[in-house]
Amino acid sequence: MAKGPNKHIKKSSKVHRIFCCIFSLSLIGIGIYCGISLWHQHKYNKLKGAVTATPAPTQAIASPEPVILDIPIDFDALQESNDDAYAWIQIPGTLVDYPILQNAEETDYYLSHSFDRSSARCGAIYTRNDTPQDFSAPCTVLYGHNMKDDSMFGSLHDYENPDFFADPKNRTITVYTPNAIRTYSIIAATNYQDALLPALYDFSDPVQKEDFIESLRTANGNFDDSLFIADDSRLIVLSTCATGGRSHLRYLVVGVMTDEKIC
């Protein structure tokens, strides 16, 4: 009779050891994942330090008055590291401060590769290779991963907070190219169907563009009705994964171009 409790204690001890082992392995896995994410973010921070330049006054042409462009990115240095880089995006109030890349051979190459072309779950911010690099398209779509450490496009989910969305300090997207500065005002931040937008809408058609705007207005998210959107307005869409593992949805932050300075 005395053996019964002993067997129970031994069994409980074995289950406890197995549980502890699984828990320890989980912690190790989380630590490795976080470490890799931090390492890749460190590389991007190092890259930014290497390509950030003291703005050289550049006079824009074809303007009634001379306009000085302060482009803080050394694109020669950036493209020497990777000639797929053609622009840089910054959004004050978020962690978005990255190069924009485009690979001519494989359109979704940077879904799984970092700026230095190494294989990386964090990927990079990129456009598909059918996207004009001069941002002349009626709608330019940028893709980036929703990283748990808020790197890449992870911090875009801050716009789910209505107060954050409403703050004017968080509502400007700036895109630099070697010869231009383009400014966009954010009009929407919302969950959206998982679809290739340029295939879903013909954005050169004002009616279909308005259909897209209306779909944003009625979607589950935040929308600013105070901004005027002309038929010929150019849009920028930042596309990332929705939270909560909802693979049938994307999270979109959408801006309308309000200023373009070209030299």
Side-chain angles (χ1 to χ4, degrees), residues 229-244:
I229 304 171
D231 288 346
D232 59 351
S233 294
R234 279 176 278 168
L235 304 176
I236 191 168
V237 176
L238 314 184
S239 176
T240 192
C241 292
T243 56

Side-chain angles (χ1 to χ4, degrees), residues 56-63 65-73 75 134 175-182 259-263:
T58 306
Q59 182 172 314
I61 60 174
S63 176
E65 297 181 3
V67 178
I68 303 301
L69 298 188
D70 291 338
I71 298 177
I73 304 299
F75 278 97
D134 61 359
V175 175
Y176 299 98
T177 53
N179 68 335
I181 301 174
R182 296 174 177 89
D259 190 41
E260 181 180 46
K261 295 183 176 68
I262 301 176
C263 62

Side-chain angles (χ1 to χ4, degrees), residues 93-218:
T94 75
L95 298 183
V96 177
D97 191 3
Y98 295 108
I100 302 171
L101 300 107
Q102 186 179 111
N103 186 274
E105 287 75 35
E106 186 178 339
T107 195
D108 291 317
Y109 179 83
Y110 289 104
L111 187 66
S112 57
H113 292 81
S114 187
F115 174 86
D116 60 5
R117 299 178 188 268
S118 63
S119 180
R121 289 184 62 183
C122 66
I125 307 304
Y126 74 97
T127 55
R128 293 173 57 86
N129 56 21
D130 55 357
T131 303
Q133 295 187 2
D134 61 359
F135 295 85
S136 61
C139 181
T140 298
V141 184
L142 277 61
Y143 299 92
H145 281 299
N146 173 24
M147 301 301 293
K148 291 181 179 179
D149 62 358
D150 280 351
S151 60
M152 298 298 108
F153 276 171
S155 63
L156 292 182
H157 286 281
D158 290 344
Y159 288 102
E160 292 180 1
N161 182 334
D163 292 334
F164 184 89
F165 178 84
D167 191 335
K169 296 193 299 293
N170 306 324
R171 295 284 295 280
T172 300
I173 300 171
T174 303
V175 175
Y176 299 98
T177 53
N179 68 335
I181 301 174
R182 296 174 177 89
T183 305
Y184 301 81
S185 291
I186 294 173
I187 60 169
T190 184
N191 289 310
Y192 204 79
Q193 62 177 299
D194 184 13
L196 187 63
L197 289 177
L200 196 62
Y201 296 96
D202 177 4
F203 287 97
S204 64
D205 180 350
V207 174
Q208 293 198 40
K209 182 190 288 185
E210 179 55 35
D211 287 343
F212 173 64
I213 298 299
E214 184 59 29
S215 70
L216 295 173
R217 183 180 284 110
T218 58

